Amino acid sequence: MMKEIVVPKGCEWRFEVEEPGIQIRLANGNAEYFGTELALGPPYKFEQVKGAIFTWQGCTLEVEGEPSVEYVAEETPMCTYLNLHFALENIRKKAEDDASVDPSISGPRVCLIGPKSSGKTSVMKILESYALRQSRHPVCVNLDPSQPMVALPGSISAFHNATILDIQEATGFGASMSTGPTHILAKSPLVYNYGLDSPYDNPKLYKSCCSRLALAVNSRMTQSSDASVSGCLVDTCSLQENYERYQGTLHSIITDFRINIVLVLGSERLYSTIKRNYSDASWLSVVKLPSSGGCIDREPEWIAKWQSKCLKQYFYGDERMPLSPLSIIVDSTQLVVYRVLEASESGPKSSVLPIGFEEETGQADKQGSYMSLALSGKGQYLERITTEAMTILQNSILAISSVNEDENETAIIDSCILGYVFVTDVDDVKNRMTLLSPVPDRLPSNALIMGTCKWQE
Ligand SMILES: Nc1ncnc2c1ncn2[C@@H]1O[C@H](COP(=O)(O)OP(=O)(O)OP(=O)(O)O)[C@@H](O)[C@H]1O
């Protein structure tokens, strides 16, 4: 049944839907979904999302399907977010003007922080979409492995975007490159595999993955004047009550990504702590932002369903672009599969490594990890899974490393991800594994990494 919803100017229609979802058509007026404008006429399908359609001048929506929750909200922080966008735009204009004198001057490098469900990702989408509407292309960075952007759970990623965000895609950012034609130009993200759900599971590994991604983002920003002027938007994991635990990681994110603006959402206490901690840092502005009243906590079951939708979409596409993944059978003795370790499971301590190999820093560390991985199968961050133990891979999502299987642990951790395969069957008698792969042909690398992400088709 179709119903009409009139949204007055400056208001938003908030909704929550699961499967089978709803279809929304903008019948008249103008409207946007987290900053991305809706076209008049065509239907947009939303499934397994909680979101809002905001209008600056008023609109009428035609909705087919039954959302589990829906209402029109009169109070929104959209004016504040729009003002923030204009402030960032002024910094970009200044960077553009100054670039001829000093090319190292860059646009706003923004990091969004805040408690759980304070609206960090939504504000990032709004700021990215508003920037795109002014022909700016800030680099989008996602450092929350539990809620990936253009990638699968367990990863952190970045992309330099040239087109609008795809609001109908599961993550709300858009799909990555595929063999089929896409309605909206696909994104080509740079993805690193952290493999675990929370940065607290292995803080050292998380920091190392973030630093690696930051190096790539910084180098992109030096090579492209467009990226340099537009700046970047970095979405972080939610800060738990005990912010102190995350403090070191947050500081390394701020320095690695050369952040010059920290946006603190929805927590006065966090804002004042950050402001105090960086009171001497003249290069850093700490800005407080209100959370939208529409921000809503998602239960772990909801997140699990959403992650499953992202996984399904990665392999099978969606109604707009169905994909046909292939089942391939591989010889498991030819594969080198690693499991990402939580901090509590890390391999041998330096006390059992040969003299001269230390656990943490520098070259000694790299060789130490390599030695320990070679000696015991367990390194500082990864454990090699023996062919006999490969049954544990059943139903796992494996990230395909961009380095060869004979590389050491550090090289594997430092390398980006080419894609993912899903393990549908493991035959430990015949040493065969059946993988669901998005592309035909051989695997591009035999070095695979297993994280905590499992899936039931
Ligand atoms: N104005 C709004 N109306 C309705 N829903 C909203 C609104 N703003 C955000 N949401 C929804 O609230 C949920 C939480 O928002 P969001 O993901 O942006 O927060 P977050 O701080 O990034 O969350 P997390 O801490 O889990 O990373 C999301 O499902 C989002 O779509």
Side-chain angles (χ1 to χ4, degrees):
M1 203 186 70
M2 200 262 291
K3 68 178 162 201
E4 227 176 55
I5 292 162
V6 178
V7 190
K9 66 177 183 183
C11 298
E12 67 187 16
W13 180 64
R14 294 179 184 158
F15 62 92
E16 293 178 28
V17 282
E18 305 217 347
E19 284 170 285
I22 55 169
Q23 279 204 354
I24 300 174
R25 224 171 59 78
L26 175 63
N28 67 55
N30 63 47
E32 58 187 46
Y33 182 78
F34 296 127
T36 301
E37 272 191 300
L38 269 61
L40 265 176
Y44 290 84
K45 184 161 186 198
F46 292 92
E47 199 178 79
Q48 199 65 34
V49 288
K50 302 179 190 240
I53 301 215
F54 175 83
T55 175
W56 289 105
Q57 278 143 21
C59 71
T60 306
L61 302 172
E62 287 174 2
V63 179
E64 256 179 68
E66 274 306 314
S68 51
V69 176
E70 57 152 321
Y71 60 96
V72 173
E74 289 176 3
E75 275 180 33
T76 79
M78 288 302 284
C79 281
T80 313
Y81 298 163
L82 183 67
N83 284 335
L84 171 66
H85 159 70
F86 285 127
L88 297 179
E89 186 50 30
N90 283 340
I91 302 174
R92 290 184 188 117
K93 278 196 190 121
K94 189 161 181 334
E96 200 167 35
D97 294 343
D98 295 349
S100 51
V101 185
D102 180 0
S104 69
I105 293 176
S106 88
R109 289 166 170 253
V110 180
C111 176
L112 296 109
I113 64 167
K116 193 158 177 276
S117 303
S118 51
K120 301 176 289 295
T121 311
S122 310
V123 172
M124 169 165 152
K125 285 179 187 165
I126 292 170
L127 294 177
E128 174 75 12
S129 299
Y130 285 176
L132 289 168
R133 279 154 77 168
Q134 293 204 266
S135 304
R136 304 289 191 192
H137 309 112
V139 177
C140 278
V141 181
N142 173 56
L143 301 182
D144 185 351
S146 69
Q147 291 174 50
M149 164 192 85
V150 205
L152 295 187
S155 60
I156 58 169
S157 58
F159 66 85
H160 185 199
N161 190 17
T163 51
I164 56 168
L165 303 185
D166 184 357
I167 58 176
Q168 296 180 82
E169 191 267 339
T171 64
F173 285 93
S176 54
M177 291 285 187
S178 70
T179 44
T182 48
H183 282 69
I184 293 174
L185 201 65
K187 316 281 179 282
S188 344
L190 179 69
V191 183
Y192 284 91
N193 184 60
Y194 165 60
L196 306 170
D197 243 14
S198 149
Y200 302 99
D201 293 339
N202 195 333
K204 261 197 235 166
L205 173 59
Y206 178 74
K207 256 198 218 178
S208 152
C209 292
C210 290
S211 303
R212 199 67 201 78
L213 184 64
L215 267 178
V217 168
N218 292 337
S219 111
R220 173 67 172 215
M221 292 180 76
T222 21
Q223 282 160 18
S224 150
S225 59
D226 171 40
S228 164
V229 166
S230 301
C232 64
L233 298 165
V234 181
D235 185 13
T236 58
C237 294
S238 47
L239 291 177
Q240 294 174 355
E241 283 305 295
N242 46 350
Y243 153 73
E244 287 69 29
R245 261 179 89 192
Y246 194 71
Q247 200 170 358
T249 310
L250 180 64
H251 183 69
S252 73
I253 290 172
I254 290 175
T255 46
D256 287 348
F257 285 91
R258 302 185 203 149
I259 296 297
N260 47 29
I261 299 172
V262 173
L263 299 179
V264 187
L265 270 124
S267 170
E268 195 75 43
R269 184 174 154 202
L270 183 63
Y271 167 72
S272 66
T273 313
I274 304 277
K275 187 107 184 124
R276 194 173 49 244
N277 288 357
Y278 289 94
S279 55
D280 295 336
S282 55
W283 43 271
L284 189 76
S285 310
V286 183
V287 179
K288 180 172 57 176
L289 270 190
S291 282
S292 164
C295 286
I296 185 150
D297 220 358
R298 286 143 302 163
E299 313 76 48
E301 300 76 42
W302 198 94
I303 301 264
K305 256 187 165 175
W306 176 82
Q307 287 184 339
S308 169
K309 188 176 176 230
C310 295
L311 289 161
K312 189 169 169 202
Q313 197 163 298
Y314 178 79
F315 289 102
Y316 292 99
D318 57 19
E319 275 169 25
R320 297 173 300 156
M321 190 191 53
L323 298 172
S324 309
L326 284 121
S327 257
I328 51 173
I329 296 176
V330 289
D331 177 355
S332 38
T333 57
Q334 300 298 309
L335 301 179
V336 177
V337 188
Y338 297 97
R339 181 174 75 90
V340 179
L341 298 172
E342 293 194 11
S344 54
E345 307 175 281
S346 280
K349 298 282 175 255
S350 46
S351 54
V352 298
L353 292 175
I355 293 167
F357 291 106
E358 284 164 20
E359 218 192 331
E360 287 219 353
T361 49
Q363 192 57 27
D365 169 49
K366 286 179 188 164
Q367 292 179 19
S369 318
Y370 181 45
M371 287 293 287
S372 59
L373 192 66
L375 291 174
S376 68
K378 213 175 204 191
Q380 197 184 357
Y381 301 127
L382 300 174
E383 175 182 34
R384 184 163 171 184
I385 299 174
T386 58
T387 314
E388 301 77 57
M390 283 199 185
T391 44
I392 63 160
L393 298 177
Q394 181 80 43
N395 291 335
S396 291
I397 296 288
L398 304 181
I400 307 169
S401 170
S402 54
V403 296
N404 285 332
E405 60 274 18
D406 48 6
E407 288 289 353
N408 65 26
E409 182 186 39
T410 314
I412 289 168
I413 289 292
D414 282 352
S415 68
C416 62
I417 291 307
L418 297 177
Y420 303 88
V421 286
F422 171 55
V423 184
T424 51
D425 190 42
V426 184
D427 185 338
D428 54 350
V429 180
K430 293 185 183 150
N431 286 335
R432 278 194 199 153
M433 218 176 340
T434 313
L435 305 174
L436 191 70
S437 166
V439 283
D441 233 347
R442 302 176 50 224
L443 290 173
S445 154
N446 281 345
L448 304 171
I449 312 159
M450 171 202 178
T452 45
C453 184
K454 295 257 178 189
W455 188 38
Q456 295 279 352
E457 260 192 272

